[in-house]
Amino acid sequence: MTFNPISFPIAKVGIVSFFLFSSFVALGQKKVALSGYVKDAATGEDLIGANVYIDELKTGVATNVYGFYSLSIPPGTYTVVVSYLGYQEIRESLQLDMGITRVFDLQAIEIKADEVVITAEREDKNVKSNEMSKVEIQPEQLKEIPVLFGETDIIKTIQLLPGIQSTGDGSSGFYVRGGGPDQNLILLDEAVVYNASHLFGFFSVFNADAVKNISVLKGGMPSEYGGRLSSVLNITLNDGNAKEFHGKGGLGIISSRLYLEGPLIKEKSSFMLAARRTYADVLVQPFLNDQVKGNRYYFYDANAKVNITLNPRNRLYLSGYFGRDVFSFKDNTSQSLSPPTFTSDWGNSTMTLRWNHLFSDKVFSNTSLIYNDYNFSFGGSFNQLNFKFQSSIRDYGFKTDLDYFASNKVKLKFGGQATHHTFNPGAASFAISEQELELTNQNRLAVELAAYASMNYDVNDLLSVNLGFRYSSFDAIGPYKQGVNDLITGLPTLDTLKFGAWESMQWYHALEPRFSFRWILAENSSIKGSFTKNVQYLHLASISGGTLPTDLWLPSSRFIRPQVSYQAALGYFQNLSDNRYETSVEVYYKPLLHQIDFMPGANIFLADEIDRNVLSGSGLAYGAEFFLKKNEGKLTGWIGYTLSRTTRTIPPLNNGNFYFPRYDRRHDVSVLATYRLAARWKVSAVFVYATGIAYTPSVGRMFGNIGLEPANMQELMPLFDIITIYPDEYNGQRLRPYQRVDFSLIYKPKGKETRKRWGGGEWNLSVFNATNRKNPYFVYDETDLEAGINQRKMVYFPIIPSITYNFKF
C-alpha cells in the first residue's frame, strides 16, 4: 500500500488540537449525570430525537438514534421534562445528588377526530437544531400519500421534498441538488443498498411497515457519513414490540404484505418480521391467451430483526433484508421444438450485527459488522444457443461509533469504519451443441477506510457550532491484470501490469472537513449555515439517467479518479403560529470535480477494463429551496419549490463546452395536502411539476446498402446499415415539463378499533396521475423504410386507480 508520511503528522496535530479544545470547553464545576433511554410505553421501541429538558436550568438534550440521552448538571433537585410530539409529556421532580440512570416511557396521544399531526419531531426542531438540509419523515405519514398501485413507497415520498427530484416514473432513483443517482448514500440499518428498486424501478425495496425512522440529508453532512457526494437516506428498522405480540398488513390489487412483532423475552428481547410479494403474475394466468401464458414477473422481499438487552449497559441487534425480482419469458408462438426463453433475477441482501455498549453515563458506543450484496443475472436459450450473464457487488464492513456527552454544551462523536469491496463487472457463458464459450471480466477488489471526529458546541443560548473532519482512503488491490495506456496518445496498448493478492494498484486518500452553525435570531427564527467536502470512491456505469438492474458499480482506479464535491449552504428558518407552521429558505452552491461519463458508443457489458473508456470533467450546481409545512389541524401538508441550475463540462462531449445533464431541473414544485373530512374519512392530494429532462435528439439517419441478405429461399433483399446522426449540441433540447396530480381517500370502518385484539383496519383508494397526463421518460427513434424516421416518446403510466385494505391485530 502506498504511504504518504507527510499527511499523518498533520492529521495527528489536528486530532490532538481538536480534543484539547474539546476538553477545555468541557471543564467546569462538579456535575452529576442524568442518563438513560426514552421509549414508547406501549411497545418498548426507542424514541429517536425525544427531548429531555431541565426546566430550572433551561437546558436539554435530544436522544440519539438508539433513544439514549445524557445530561451533566450540578447536584440538586430539578424538574425534568420529557417530550416527543405525538406523546404525552412527562414532568417529574428528581433529586440528583449523584449520577443516575432513568428510563422514561412515554404514552402515545390519541389524535382527536378533528385534527392530524404529521410529524414526531420536537416542535421547535426546525429552528433550534443546528442541523440544516435535513428532513425526517414518519412511516405513518407515508400511508396517507397517494401511491402507485396502492404500494407505499419511501423514495417516491422523499421526491416530494425541495431539492430532491425524481429520475422519472420508471425509476426509483432520485437526484439531490444536481447530483446523479449514484451520489446518494442509501442505508438500511447501516447497510448500504446499491439498488433500491423493484419492478424495474417502479417501486422501492423498502417496506414501510418495517420502518421506524426515515431521515434525509441534502447537505451539511456530518462527519460520520461519507462515500457519496450528494445526500444520505438513512432508514432505521423497527426493533419489535417488547411487551405484546401484534401484527399488521395490507391487501392490494397487485401485492400483499404482512408484519409481525412481539417479545421473545418480555421487556428484554423482541423480534420483527415483515414480508411482501406481488401476485399479479398468479392472478392473471387464467386470463392469458396461449401466446403469453406461462410468462411471469414478480418480486418479493423480507425484513427481520432481533434485539436483546443483555444488561443495562449492553444490547445486541441483528437485522437483515433479502429481496428478489424474478422475470421469465417463453415464446409460445415459436414452432421450434425448443422455443426461445429468457429469465432474469436481481436483488439485494443485507445483514447487520450491532452491539450497543455504555462505557459510562456519558459515553455511548455502537459497533457494527455489516454485510451487503447486490447481484443481477439473466439467461435463456435461442434455437440451440444457451446463454447466461451475471454481475454483482459485495461488501464486508466493520464500523464503530462513540458518543461522548462531555457536558450540556459539548458533545463529541468519533469513530471509524473499514469496508472490503468485491466488484464483479460481468461474466457470461454461451453454449451451443457441445461447444462452450466463457467471457469473464476480472473481479475488482478494494479496501475503503475512514476515521472521523466531530464536536457540537453550544457557545451560548444563541450560537451553536458543529466542527468535524473525516479522513478517508481507498486502495484498489490485486490480484489483477491491468492494461497500460500509451503515455503520449493516451490510447490503450497491449501491455499489462500484474498485481498479486492484496498488492496495492492505486491508493487515494483525502481529508474531508465539515462545518455547520446555527444562530438564533428570535424565539421562533434562526439562521443556519454549513460547508462540507465529500469524496466518492465508487462510480456507477449506467445506460440510463436513473437506476436499472443492469447498472454496474466500478471502483476508483488508475483511470478513474475519486469524485469530489464542495458544498456551501445558508438558510433562514422560522416557525409560525406556535410551531403549527414551519418555513425555510435554503441556498446552496456546489462545485464538483472528476465527474464521469462514457465515450459515445462505449460498451459497459462484457468489456474488460471499461474504466479505460471513462471520460472525466467537472460540474457545478447551485440553487434555492423554499419550504412551507403545516403540522397540525384538519389540513396538513407542505409546499416545496426549488429553483436550481446544474451543468457538466466533460470533454469531448458538447465540443468541450458545458451542457445540462439529465438531472438538471430548473423548476421543481411539490404540493402535498391531507384533509380530515370527518372522524373516519381523510383525503390526500399531491401535485408535482418539474422542468423537462434535457436530451439530445437525433437529426437524421443514413441508410447505407452494405450488401444483400436472403429474404427467403428464392429471393435476396438489400441489407442496410442505419447510422444515427446527432447535432453538435449535447442535451440541447428538453422533453415537455413533468406534471402529475394524485389523489387518495382513506376510510376507517366504524367499531373495528374497539376490539381488544384487533386494532381495526382502513380502506385506501388512490388514483395515480388523475389527469391522465402523458409524461415522457425518454425519446427513441422509430425507423421505417417508407415513412422515414419518427421520434417516439416513451410514456409509462396513464391514470391508474388502486385500492388497498390495511389491517392491524
Side-chain angles (χ1 to χ4, degrees):
M1 180 181 294
T2 306
F3 178 77
N4 186 340
I6 298 177
S7 63
F8 286 90
I10 294 175
K12 184 176 180 180
V13 171
I15 293 171
V16 171
S17 301
F18 182 86
F19 284 107
L20 283 177
F21 177 72
S22 304
S23 301
F24 173 76
V25 297
L27 292 176
Q29 61 177 303
K30 179 182 177 181
K31 295 183 178 181
V32 296
L34 170 63
S35 62
Y37 295 87
V38 180
K39 297 175 176 289
D40 184 306
T43 67
E45 288 270 2
D46 300 321
L47 296 180
I48 302 172
N51 195 35
V52 182
Y53 186 77
I54 305 299
D55 206 10
E56 290 80 2
L57 301 179
K58 306 301 179 187
T59 187
V61 68
T63 58
N64 67 8
V65 294
Y66 297 98
F68 179 78
Y69 71 92
S70 179
L71 281 164
S72 296
I73 54 180
T77 301
Y78 299 100
T79 302
V80 181
V81 182
V82 184
S83 61
Y84 193 63
L85 198 58
Y87 286 77
Q88 295 178 7
E89 181 181 274
I90 290 179
R91 299 181 69 90
E92 185 173 323
S93 179
L94 292 178
Q95 175 69 38
L96 300 176
D97 295 323
M98 57 184 298
I100 66 170
T101 299
R102 185 75 164 82
V103 176
F104 294 99
D105 294 316
L106 298 185
Q107 296 281 351
I109 298 173
E110 183 177 352
I111 303 301
K112 297 179 182 179
D114 62 344
E115 68 175 24
V116 181
V117 177
I118 68 168
T119 178
E121 296 179 352
R122 197 176 75 217
E123 290 184 349
D124 59 357
K125 186 176 182 179
N126 178 56
V127 171
K128 295 187 177 179
S129 168
N130 65 352
E131 295 175 320
M132 68 177 301
S133 307
K134 180 179 181 179
V135 179
E136 294 191 356
I137 300 174
Q138 302 306 311
E140 287 301 318
Q141 182 185 350
L142 301 177
K143 298 176 182 179
E144 299 177 355
I145 299 175
V147 289
L148 179 65
F149 295 123
E151 190 65 36
T152 301
D153 196 310
I154 290 174
I155 291 183
K156 291 292 189 294
T157 300
I158 69 170
Q159 291 169 356
L160 301 176
L161 298 170
I164 303 177
Q165 287 88 36
S166 167
T167 58
D169 281 341
S171 175
S172 64
F174 55 98
Y175 309 135
V176 178
R177 292 185 172 179
D182 62 319
Q183 295 176 354
N184 305 309
L185 179 63
I186 303 177
L187 299 174
L188 181 65
D189 266 5
E190 299 189 333
V192 175
V193 177
Y194 282 103
N195 190 308
S197 65
H198 277 313
L199 196 62
F200 295 102
F202 295 140
F203 301 112
S204 73
V205 299
F206 305 112
N207 184 344
D209 285 343
V211 172
K212 176 166 66 173
N213 188 70
I214 306 158
S215 67
V216 186
L217 281 163
K218 302 177 292 180
M221 198 179 297
S223 58
E224 60 260 37
Y225 296 112
R228 300 295 187 274
L229 300 188
S230 292
S231 74
V232 178
L233 173 59
N234 193 7
I235 298 174
T236 305
L237 294 176
N238 289 327
D239 296 330
N241 194 316
K243 299 186 177 183
E244 295 181 327
F245 177 81
H246 286 283
K248 58 184 175 181
L251 302 172
I253 59 175
I254 70 164
S255 66
S256 289
R257 63 187 193 277
L258 180 64
Y259 173 88
L260 301 173
E261 63 177 355
L264 296 174
I265 303 174
K266 193 169 183 179
E267 299 189 4
K268 288 186 177 294
S269 176
S270 62
F271 78 93
M272 176 275 290
L273 178 65
R276 60 178 177 169
R277 188 195 189 277
T278 57
Y279 42 69
D281 62 306
V282 177
L283 296 180
V284 301
Q285 285 299 317
F287 307 99
L288 298 178
N289 58 42
D290 292 338
Q291 293 182 344
V292 294
K293 188 178 290 294
N295 295 326
R296 295 179 181 274
Y297 180 87
Y298 62 91
F299 72 78
Y300 62 90
D301 56 38
N303 295 92
K305 191 171 185 177
V306 174
N307 78 90
I308 304 170
T309 301
L310 301 176
N311 53 53
R313 291 190 176 272
N314 294 281
R315 304 170 74 184
L316 289 178
Y317 301 83
L318 178 63
S319 59
Y321 167 87
F322 181 82
R324 281 293 180 272
D325 286 64
V326 180
F327 173 73
S328 63
F329 169 80
K330 181 179 181 181
D331 185 3
N332 295 324
T333 64
S334 174
Q335 302 300 315
S336 172
L337 295 177
S338 300
T341 62
F342 179 83
T343 61
S344 180
D345 71 87
W346 63 92
N348 298 275
S349 304
T350 73
M351 182 169 291
T352 307
L353 175 63
R354 289 180 288 178
W355 169 42
N356 285 180
H357 176 66
L358 282 176
F359 286 99
S360 70
D361 295 335
K362 294 185 177 183
V363 182
F364 177 94
S365 72
N366 176 72
T367 302
S368 303
L369 297 176
I370 305 167
Y371 166 85
N372 54 276
D373 171 87
Y374 171 75
N375 63 75
F376 166 75
S377 68
F378 68 84
S381 63
F382 181 77
N383 291 333
Q384 297 181 350
L385 173 66
N386 297 306
F387 61 91
K388 184 177 182 180
F389 173 86
Q390 60 183 8
S391 65
S392 64
I393 178 172
R394 178 175 300 164
D395 295 343
Y396 295 94
F398 169 83
K399 183 172 181 284
T400 185
D401 305 277
L402 290 95
D403 292 337
Y404 174 39
F405 298 83
S407 70
N408 293 342
K409 290 182 175 294
V410 179
K411 179 184 176 182
L412 304 177
K413 190 175 181 68
F414 45 94
Q417 63 185 91
T419 304
H420 182 277
H421 302 285
T422 301
F423 305 83
N424 176 8
S429 62
F430 303 88
I432 182 169
S433 298
E434 297 181 356
Q435 303 294 323
E436 293 185 1
L437 174 65
E438 291 188 359
L439 299 175
T440 303
N441 285 339
Q442 301 175 80
N443 281 356
R444 307 287 187 90
L445 305 177
V447 174
E448 187 171 358
L449 304 174
Y452 74 90
S454 67
M455 177 186 67
N456 192 82
Y457 177 35
D458 294 330
V459 181
N460 53 44
D461 291 340
L462 302 180
L463 177 62
S464 178
V465 297
N466 188 289
L467 176 64
F469 63 86
R470 181 182 182 89
Y471 177 79
S472 61
S473 71
F474 187 88
D475 197 11
I477 59 175
Y480 192 75
K481 293 181 180 180
Q482 189 174 70
V484 178
N485 285 4
D486 188 275
L487 293 177
I488 299 176
T489 65
L491 298 176
T493 68
L494 297 178
D495 297 331
T496 60
L497 295 175
K498 296 182 180 180
F499 297 89
W502 291 94
E503 184 178 358
S504 177
M505 297 189 297
Q506 184 68 45
W507 183 62
Y508 294 102
H509 68 116
L511 187 64
E512 306 171 38
R514 313 288 172 86
F515 172 76
S516 64
F517 75 91
R518 179 227 63 210
W519 180 268
I520 299 292
L521 298 175
E523 182 64 26
N524 63 344
S525 63
S526 66
I527 292 177
K528 303 179 186 181
S530 67
F531 172 81
T532 60
K533 175 187 176 183
N534 290 75
V535 179
Q536 179 169 331
Y537 298 102
L538 306 188
H539 317 271
L540 189 67
S542 175
I543 60 174
S544 73
T547 54
L548 290 176
T550 54
D551 294 343
L552 301 177
W553 287 88
L554 300 174
S556 294
S557 66
R558 291 179 59 203
F559 307 105
I560 305 180
R561 299 181 64 183
Q563 302 179 58
V564 181
S565 74
Y566 300 88
Q567 182 176 173
L570 185 66
Y572 174 76
F573 300 79
Q574 182 170 356
N575 286 5
L576 304 170
S577 300
D578 195 24
N579 297 313
R580 286 178 175 267
Y581 296 89
E582 297 179 7
T583 65
S584 66
V585 179
E586 293 187 43
V587 295
Y588 65 90
Y589 184 83
K590 183 166 71 171
L592 302 108
L593 305 177
H594 312 143
Q595 301 302 286
I596 71 167
D597 208 327
F598 288 86
M599 294 180 181
N603 177 25
I604 68 172
F605 299 107
L606 296 178
D608 199 11
E609 295 195 292
I610 62 175
D611 51 353
R612 300 173 75 182
N613 295 318
V614 166
L615 302 174
S616 179
S618 60
L620 179 63
Y622 55 89
E625 300 166 1
F626 304 84
F627 191 52
L628 169 64
K629 180 180 179 182
K630 187 174 185 293
N631 290 322
E632 301 177 23
K634 285 189 174 183
L635 177 65
T636 59
W638 68 66
I639 300 173
Y641 169 65
T642 304
L643 174 65
S644 62
R645 189 174 191 261
T646 302
T647 61
R648 293 288 187 272
T649 304
I650 304 180
L653 298 178
N654 206 38
N655 295 318
N657 300 314
F658 78 83
Y659 63 91
F660 297 107
R662 182 182 178 88
Y663 26 91
D664 172 65
R665 306 287 176 85
R666 196 60 42 82
H667 303 280
D668 187 89
V669 180
S670 298
V671 180
L672 167 65
T674 299
Y675 185 76
R676 184 175 289 273
L677 298 171
R680 305 186 184 280
W681 293 88
K682 283 188 293 186
V683 62
S684 296
V686 166
F687 169 76
V688 178
Y689 172 89
T691 299
I693 296 171
Y695 77 104
T696 305
S698 63
V699 294
R701 287 194 174 187
M702 296 176 58
F703 293 85
N705 187 344
I706 60 173
L708 300 174
E709 64 177 348
N712 50 50
M713 295 298 294
Q714 289 81 29
E715 299 181 17
L716 296 175
M717 66 174 291
L719 176 62
F720 289 94
D721 184 23
I722 303 173
I723 303 173
T724 304
I725 303 173
Y726 292 98
D728 291 336
E729 186 178 12
Y730 189 74
N731 281 1
Q733 292 193 22
R734 291 184 181 271
L735 299 176
R736 68 184 297 194
Y738 183 92
Q739 185 175 308
R740 196 184 79 237
V741 177
D742 307 329
F743 291 101
S744 72
L745 182 67
I746 299 174
Y747 169 66
K748 291 187 176 182
K750 185 177 181 180
K752 295 290 185 182
E753 69 274 19
T754 61
R755 298 181 181 178
K756 292 183 179 181
R757 290 294 300 170
W758 287 83
E762 64 179 28
W763 292 94
N764 188 319
L765 173 65
S766 63
V767 180
F768 183 87
N769 193 15
T771 60
N772 198 32
R773 180 179 172 87
K774 294 178 172 59
N775 291 304
Y777 183 59
F778 64 85
V779 175
Y780 66 96
D781 291 337
E782 185 180 80
T783 305
D784 186 275
L785 291 177
E786 297 181 357
I789 303 171
N790 295 314
Q791 288 191 345
R792 302 293 186 185
K793 295 180 174 64
M794 173 61 72
V795 176
Y796 281 127
F797 294 125
I799 180 173
I800 299 179
S802 61
I803 187 169
T804 303
Y805 178 70
N806 298 312
F807 57 88
K808 296 181 180 180
F809 60 89

